[in-house]
Amino acid sequence: MSLITADALKAALADADSAGRFVILDVRWTLQKPNGLDDYAAGHIPGAQYADLDTQLSGTSDDPTLGRHPLPDATDLQEAVRGWGITPDSTVVVYDDNSSLGAARGWWVLRWAGLDDVRVLDGGLNAWKAAGGELSAEIPQPKRSDITITTGAMPTVDADQAAATAALGTLLDARPSARFRGEDDSLDPRAGHIPGALNRPAADNYRDGALLPKHELAAQFAELGADSGGVVAYCGSGVTACSNILALEQVGVHAALYSPSWSGWAADESRPTAKG
């Protein structure tokens, strides 16, 4: 199970027997405003902690071919997970206020770290408020855990494997269509997309901030030929591609992530590009 509704979360937090099992992470992030700490501080789901996508759910590297959001170092990620008080028995809920694009990255990274029970709040903060959920400005102080994580629990591919997947027509690019076509890309060294990739903008997975119903997702991914195994997702830097992976999970397709994504591919001059 990778989603939870606002009503289900409210009920779980109101139940004394289950509330202590929940760890809630606020992953507010956008390209325009990557740090959402001030929004979190102004009001968040009670008990939620802020998770910084750029510094905690991503790593750093001097190698541009690893992309703008490299996967986090395992030791650093374990430190963050322990600081959030996550244990092997925790149910972790991630949310944001931007169609779960940041939350999906949090979901994927924590699943990659071997955590089994990680869920995205469907509809995010807006769904919580619409369900009558209150907001809090109180910063929780969780008890630090001693959990040991093991990364690699979610599949990834390298650039050669991404290229091979593109040749089969099951490499999905989650960027907006203009960036995919190469008409608008000021973020990365070159514009365009990986030859053979298909465009599935992450925003197309949502309606009013919530994931589309399973039957609609299934039909749309089937049209792209992404209705069975062997699917790989990428985007600009490995963030919004996680939204496509989350959506594919709803229809029983387990996709891999090409984490460097376009930012890593475009930084390697030996890699071909396509436009249009």
Side-chain angles (χ1 to χ4, degrees), residues 65-266:
T65 67
L66 293 181
R68 287 183 278 108
H69 286 99
L71 294 181
D73 173 79
T75 301
D76 293 340
L77 181 58
Q78 179 169 275
E79 188 69 14
V81 169
R82 288 179 172 180
W84 291 322
I86 296 172
T87 72
D89 298 324
S90 294
T91 294
V92 184
V93 176
V94 290
Y95 75 90
D96 62 28
D97 60 356
N98 184 39
S99 294
S100 298
L101 298 180
R105 168 74 173 203
W107 166 82
W108 189 93
V109 167
L110 294 175
R111 288 285 307 278
W112 174 71
L115 301 181
D116 293 326
D117 195 359
V118 186
R119 310 184 196 185
V120 173
L121 176 60
D122 199 21
L125 192 63
N126 288 338
W128 173 262
K129 292 188 288 188
E134 298 181 351
L135 298 183
S136 172
E138 183 178 348
I139 309 299
Q141 300 295 323
K143 179 181 178 181
R144 181 180 172 83
S145 77
D146 60 359
I147 192 172
T148 298
I149 66 169
T150 302
T151 58
M154 292 288 273
T156 60
V157 301
D158 61 20
D160 288 338
Q161 292 168 314
T165 303
L168 300 175
T170 48
L171 178 67
L172 301 184
D173 185 319
R175 293 175 299 160
S177 296
R179 290 184 63 198
F180 175 83
R181 293 192 298 265
E183 299 168 3
D184 173 25
D185 201 335
S186 59
L187 292 170
D188 297 311
R190 293 183 287 167
H193 58 266
I194 298 174
L198 303 174
N199 192 207
R200 170 62 181 191
D204 289 357
N205 295 321
Y206 302 92
R207 181 181 298 126
D208 298 327
L211 272 174
L212 296 175
K214 288 183 181 180
H215 70 278
E216 292 187 38
L217 289 171
Q220 293 174 16
F221 283 119
E223 287 183 4
L224 295 168
D227 53 352
S228 59
V231 181
V232 172
Y234 81 98
C235 55
S237 63
V239 175
T240 59
C242 297
S243 171
N244 275 344
I245 296 176
L246 175 67
L248 284 161
E249 287 274 328
Q250 309 315 303
V251 299
V253 178
H254 305 298
L257 175 68
Y258 171 45
S259 174
S261 287
W262 180 249
S263 58
W265 181 280

Side-chain angles (χ1 to χ4, degrees), residues 22-53:
F22 279 75
V23 175
I24 307 173
L25 299 179
D26 184 312
V27 196
R28 276 184 263 190
W29 171 94
T30 66
L31 274 174
Q32 297 74 26
K33 187 180 180 182
N35 189 306
L37 184 57
D38 57 342
D39 295 320
Y40 162 81
H44 50 261
I45 294 175
Q49 303 170 70
Y50 181 66
D52 191 301
L53 189 147

Side-chain angles (χ1 to χ4, degrees), residues 9-22:
L9 179 59
K10 280 184 64 182
L13 296 180
D15 183 343
D17 292 331
S18 66
R21 190 180 77 245
F22 279 75

